[in-house]
């Protein structure tokens, strides 16, 4: 092997999703694209709002090209960071200023900057199962260890009853993803207040801060009037990673931001290190044109009704067939309990009916599968007979 040991591990661990993608493509070549029901990827199916295209034209027409396409401060354009800070302050009654905002290459860029800044070799980062599987790669990329708090499968809220057992002197950070991919759970104010109490005690015991990384790409994607509390109002040492990938359907453009509240421990040291991390990780700065686009779309909302229609159809149909599903309050994923103990067998069975599902072992929660319902509504409709056939193999004519 010419590649490093660390990279070897990262490649091995990323092969699950790659294989799934390849399997879908192979299957489509045999049975036809319209007969493959691919629920694997979290790529938004709703088009970006019209204002995005308009903003691109406006910016290109009205601004100096060297300004639009040039280098700028590594944390982003001042006017964009001012606008982001103002939008947060207006919506959440916070006191961010341009210094506390760093424009990043999506939420992934923000997460990687924070982990780069915090982690020494073998430092630990806690993730609550189920969690976005990529966190493992991000953490191990900087020599850290992922520590998994098992899921509370009754509520799919943060499993705070056992959290303290997983905190050690090596704990540097905890990642909280609200609303959650893959369960669709939304964590309440009470949950976050309880988290703060646990952290204060643990920080006193271990003698250093534990930073909570609030990963929020799905902040606005909520249903039935659910509210996502703004984490920094509840957890003191909290940094927010936001992304326009889902809210504006722009995942390929790589645009998001990191918000650093002044209340966190070692604010100035963290802020300046995070700007350097953005540069030394090779991002240099977030994509320039899309910083300016984001600035013009900060109050824009995605078409949540479309995702909600998908959610209702899939959740109602699958539960009616006998599957046990967590009713998602946010994001665009349905988390389904496998009817067999080993969900990988269920995934294989579903594949026989051209259904591509993701095993939740990837998300630290074996025994479940994830369905991304950011897909065309008619694909869900067409896939229902396939789910029905799978249901019959497990539940017979009980339903
Ligand atoms: N965090 C979670 C929970 C996600 O689901 C995703 C993408 O699907 C990301 C982070 C990365 O998002 P971005 O495209 O903003 O980097």
């Amino acid at each position: 092997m010419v590649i490093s040991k660390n990279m070897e591990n990262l490649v091995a661990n990323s092969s699950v999703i790659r294989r799934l993608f390849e399997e879908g493509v192979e299957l489509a070549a045999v049975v036809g694209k319209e007969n493959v029901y691919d629920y694997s990827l979290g790529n938004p199916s709703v088009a970006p709002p019209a204002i995005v295209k308009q903003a691109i034209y406006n910016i290109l027409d009205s601004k100096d090209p060297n300004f639009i396409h040039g280098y700028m401060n590594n944390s982003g354009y001042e006017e964009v960071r001012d606008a982001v800070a103002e939008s947060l302050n207006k919506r959440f009654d916070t006191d961010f200023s341009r210094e506390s905002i760093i424009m990043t290459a999506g939420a992934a860029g923000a997460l990687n900057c924070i982990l780069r800044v915090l982690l020494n070799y073998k430092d630990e980062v806690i993730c609550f199962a189920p969690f976005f599987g990529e966190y493992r790669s991000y953490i191990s990329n900087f020599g850290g260890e992922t520590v998994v708090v098992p899921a509370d499968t009754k509520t799919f809220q943060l499993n705070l009853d056992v959290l303290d057992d997983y905190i050690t002197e090596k704990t540097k950070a905890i990642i909280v993803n609200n609303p959650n991919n893959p369960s669709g759970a939304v964590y309440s104010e009470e949950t976050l207040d309880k988290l703060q109490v646990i952290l204060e005690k643990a920080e006193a015991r271990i003698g250093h801060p534990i930073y909570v990384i609030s990963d929020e790409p799905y902040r606005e994607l909520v249903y039935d009037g659910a509210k996502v509390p703004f984490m920094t109002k509840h957890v003191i040492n909290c940094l927010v990673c936001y992304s326009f990938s889902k809210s504006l359907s722009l995942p390929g453009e790589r645009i998001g931001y990191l918000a650093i509240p002044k209340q966190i421990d070692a604010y100035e040291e963290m802020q300046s290190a995070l700007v350097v991390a953005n540069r030394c990780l090779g991002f240099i700065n977030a994509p320039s044109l899309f910083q300016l686009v984001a600035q013009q779309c900060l109050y824009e909302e995605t078409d949540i009704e479309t995702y909600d229609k998908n959610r209702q159809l899939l959740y109602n149909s699958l539960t009616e067939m006998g599957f046990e599903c967590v009713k998602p309050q946010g994001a665009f994923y349905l988390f389904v309990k496998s009817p067999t103990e080993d969900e990988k067998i269920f995934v294989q069975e579903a594949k026989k009916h051209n259904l591509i599902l993701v095993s939740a072992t990837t998300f630290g929660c074996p025994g479940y599968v994830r369905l991304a319902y950011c897909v065309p509504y008619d694909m869900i409709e067409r896939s229902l007979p396939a789910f029905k056939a799978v249901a019959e193999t497990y539940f017979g004519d009980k339903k």
Side-chain angles (χ1 to χ4, degrees):
M1 282 272 187
V2 291
I3 62 175
S4 68
K5 276 268 166 261
N6 187 11
M7 197 62 218
E8 213 179 288
N9 291 336
L10 291 172
V11 171
N13 292 331
S14 75
S15 65
V16 180
I17 295 180
R18 203 179 48 204
R19 226 180 301 129
L20 210 60
F21 173 73
E22 282 163 8
E23 280 174 15
V25 173
E26 280 164 24
L27 201 58
V30 180
V31 300
K33 207 165 175 276
E34 69 289 357
N35 298 317
V36 176
Y37 316 116
D38 188 346
Y39 285 99
S40 64
L41 286 184
N43 217 0
S45 51
V46 163
I51 183 182
V52 167
K53 188 168 164 189
Q54 211 45 60
I56 297 170
Y57 286 132
N58 287 345
I59 293 160
L60 293 177
D61 281 344
S62 64
K63 291 193 190 279
D64 172 3
N66 289 114
F67 175 79
I68 302 170
H69 304 294
Y71 288 129
M72 83 292 298
N73 186 319
N74 296 132
S75 43
Y77 290 112
E78 278 73 17
E79 61 178 75
V80 175
R81 290 185 290 131
D82 281 343
V84 169
E86 188 185 297
S87 80
L88 290 174
N89 296 344
K90 269 196 192 144
R91 282 180 297 157
F92 305 115
D93 190 28
T94 47
D95 67 344
F96 291 106
S97 58
R98 72 163 66 148
E99 291 73 30
S100 37
I101 305 295
I102 301 176
M103 300 307 292
T104 58
L111 279 152
N112 276 281
C113 286
I114 299 172
L115 295 168
R116 168 72 292 172
V117 161
L118 287 178
L119 296 184
N120 287 311
Y121 185 60
K122 295 275 183 202
D123 276 346
E124 294 169 3
V125 179
I126 293 179
C127 299
F128 290 95
F131 61 92
F132 179 53
E134 290 292 294
Y135 296 154
R136 285 187 202 275
S137 313
Y138 303 163
I139 295 163
S140 81
N141 199 21
F142 301 119
E145 302 276 346
T146 304
V147 173
V148 180
V149 174
D152 171 353
T153 53
K154 280 201 189 71
T155 64
F156 282 95
Q157 286 289 306
L158 300 177
N159 195 351
L160 296 179
D161 290 346
V162 300
L163 170 61
D164 198 50
D165 301 343
Y166 292 82
I167 297 177
T168 74
E169 282 174 11
K170 292 234 158 239
T171 306
K172 278 293 185 68
I174 299 185
I175 304 180
V176 176
N177 168 220
N178 198 17
N180 180 266
N181 169 12
S183 70
V186 172
Y187 308 129
S188 66
E189 294 194 351
E190 293 70 35
T191 301
L192 302 182
D193 289 338
K194 207 170 150 194
L195 173 63
Q196 171 61 21
V197 172
I198 296 168
L199 288 178
E200 263 176 45
K201 284 196 191 136
E203 286 173 330
R205 187 177 75 237
I206 65 175
H208 64 77
I210 299 170
Y211 290 95
V212 172
I213 304 171
S214 183
D215 182 24
E216 307 185 359
Y218 303 97
R219 155 165 293 284
E220 291 85 10
L221 272 67
V222 284
Y223 310 101
D224 302 333
K227 291 255 177 308
V228 181
F230 197 71
M231 185 88 85
T232 69
K233 306 289 274 186
H234 302 272
V235 177
I236 295 171
N237 273 326
C238 169
L239 298 111
V240 176
C241 302
Y242 183 80
S243 168
F244 297 96
S245 292
K246 318 289 173 168
S247 59
L248 294 180
S249 298
L250 296 173
E253 303 298 350
R254 314 306 307 134
I255 187 72
Y257 60 79
L258 173 49
I260 317 159
K262 296 182 185 82
Q263 70 199 17
I264 65 165
D265 269 308
Y267 166 76
E268 279 171 21
E269 188 185 338
M270 287 287 287
Q271 192 273 348
S272 56
L274 285 161
V275 177
V276 174
N278 209 19
R279 184 169 71 236
C280 74
L281 287 174
F283 300 120
I284 313 298
N285 52 253
S288 54
L289 175 58
F290 273 82
Q291 287 190 43
L292 299 166
V293 171
Q295 179 189 359
Q296 296 198 15
C297 304
L298 287 171
Y299 299 92
E300 197 55 31
E301 287 172 6
T302 190
D303 171 12
I304 193 73
E305 268 101 63
T306 295
Y307 293 130
D308 197 16
K309 255 180 84 188
N310 289 1
R311 177 184 76 120
Q312 305 281 8
L313 177 63
L314 200 59
Y315 175 82
N316 292 339
S317 307
L318 265 62
T319 48
E320 174 64 25
M321 289 174 201
F323 291 105
E324 218 178 286
C325 308
V326 181
K327 185 154 196 188
Q329 289 179 284
F332 40 46
Y333 306 101
L334 185 67
F335 209 48
V336 181
K337 191 166 175 13
S338 167
T340 57
E341 201 181 322
D342 181 352
E343 85 283 358
K344 294 193 199 76
I345 296 173
F346 174 47
V347 166
Q348 283 313 316
E349 186 59 36
K351 207 187 137 200
K352 287 186 201 156
H353 300 269
N354 303 338
L355 290 161
I356 313 266
L357 317 178
V358 183
S359 147
T361 295
T362 323
F363 309 111
C365 193
Y368 288 80
V369 298
R370 186 194 79 174
L371 281 66
Y373 57 80
C374 43
V375 294
Y377 187 80
D378 69 294
M379 187 198 98
I380 303 179
E381 285 180 316
R382 280 184 285 111
S383 73
L384 295 180
F387 279 113
K388 184 93 189 125
V390 179
E392 271 160 23
T393 62
Y394 289 108
F395 313 125
D397 51 11
K398 265 189 283 168
K399 280 274 147 190

